[in-house]
Amino acid sequence: MTLTIDAGERTVEEILDALEAGQRVVVRTELFGGVHEVTLRHDGTTYYCDTPTTLHKHGSVDGMRTCIERMGYASDA
């Protein structure tokens, strides 16, 4: 199942909960004057951030949390 959200629509914990439940999370975000989609996923071991230009991998939930916060995918709430 895929959850599609706009950047800032969900908290970090809500995004991480969805990933832990096996969902892919597609985040629509504005970048360089256009809207781009980033796919976040978790395979049970590794977290992935698949952007239009690269694939980032994170080996821990803390690494993924930091990435989500740094990139502005989640709300501050």
Side-chain angles (χ1 to χ4, degrees):
M1 182 195 275
T2 301
L3 172 65
T4 302
I5 62 173
D6 291 322
E9 186 176 329
R10 302 283 177 106
T11 66
V12 172
E13 293 309 318
E14 289 173 323
I15 293 170
L16 291 173
D17 287 347
L19 294 173
E20 291 290 330
Q23 289 185 291
R24 288 176 182 250
V25 179
V26 175
V27 182
R28 290 184 300 254
T29 184
E30 289 187 36
L31 184 64
F32 305 120
V35 176
H36 298 277
E37 292 185 346
V38 175
T39 301
L40 310 177
R41 56 191 171 90
H42 182 243
D43 68 6
T45 304
T46 304
Y47 293 86
Y48 299 90
C49 299
D50 192 2
T51 73
T53 58
T54 190
L55 174 65
H56 300 274
K57 297 179 184 179
H58 304 283
S60 70
V61 69
D62 290 333
M64 186 63 159
R65 179 180 287 109
T66 299
C67 180
I68 292 169
E69 290 171 345
R70 185 180 66 235
M71 298 307 294
Y73 299 149
S75 67
D76 293 333

